[in-house]
Amino acid sequence: MERTLSIIKPDGVGRNLIGDVIKRLEQNGLKVAAMKMIWMTKAQAQGFYAVHEGKPFFDGLTDFMCSGPIVVMVVQGENVIEQYRKLMGDTNFEDAEEGTIRREFATSTRKNVVHGSDSTESAALEIGYFFNRFEIVG
Ligand code: CMP
């Protein structure tokens, strides 16, 4: 059993896509083990995306991520990191496979509706960024 961090980004929350994203997780056998809605500060967004610091999209990305509420979730299941990334589709929605969340709902590379951890190491770091162990109940 593996865990990953999932974020429904401000565009997803603003466009009422919370239910659509969670439905896809659940329909694919994944479980929500923790969940909350928060509104990040710029500093919190910069901390979360620290690995991207210095990249040309960093400032726009962190501005966007604190532009409205987000839903952060710990998602659990077998091989969940890879499975969830498959459900999300490619970062660039135009390259994302048909039927994926980003293909269906994203409107740009920045406004791509969801985030998911890309490795076990980043999942552990990212889950720890938002949740303490008493909040992960699933
Ligand atoms: P995410 O999975 O949250 O991880 C980093 C985010 O940076 C990514 O999704 C995109 O939203 C954003 N991103 C990556 N590359 C670009 C880019 N070239 N232009 C704008 N945003 C980007």
Side-chain angles (χ1 to χ4, degrees):
M1 202 53 80
E2 192 176 65
R3 284 176 174 165
T4 194
L5 183 87
S6 157
I7 301 180
I8 306 175
K9 298 186 180 187
D11 56 332
V13 173
R15 289 168 55 211
N16 288 346
L17 298 174
I18 297 171
D20 278 289
V21 172
I22 294 174
K23 191 173 179 183
R24 282 166 190 248
L25 301 179
E26 292 186 333
Q27 280 179 339
N28 283 277
L30 303 178
K31 281 218 169 290
V32 177
M35 174 163 64
K36 59 189 168 192
M37 184 182 279
I38 58 168
W39 191 325
M40 288 199 285
T41 62
K42 175 84 171 170
Q44 286 169 334
Q46 287 169 327
F48 179 73
Y49 280 117
V51 291
H52 295 299
E53 208 169 339
K55 295 186 184 160
F57 59 82
F58 183 70
D59 204 41
L61 169 66
T62 51
D63 272 349
F64 167 59
M65 289 301 288
C66 64
S67 68
I70 60 172
V71 171
V72 285
M73 294 180 274
V74 177
V75 181
Q76 190 166 286
E78 226 169 278
N79 208 17
V80 66
I81 294 173
E82 197 189 322
Q83 257 217 84
Y84 182 54
R85 288 180 74 79
K86 271 199 185 137
L87 291 178
M88 287 193 301
D90 199 279
T91 304
N92 181 350
F93 73 109
E94 284 163 327
D95 296 335
E97 263 179 53
E98 216 56 64
T100 59
I101 295 169
R102 285 168 168 165
R103 181 68 187 218
E104 198 151 322
F105 301 119
T107 52
S108 72
T109 309
R110 180 176 304 150
K111 294 185 175 175
N112 63 357
V113 185
V114 280
H115 166 83
S117 313
D118 63 6
S119 65
T120 46
E121 295 75 25
S122 61
L125 274 174
E126 291 179 0
I127 289 169
Y129 196 76
F130 292 112
F131 294 95
N132 68 48
R133 64 197 167 95
F134 302 108
E135 294 173 310
I136 303 170
V137 294

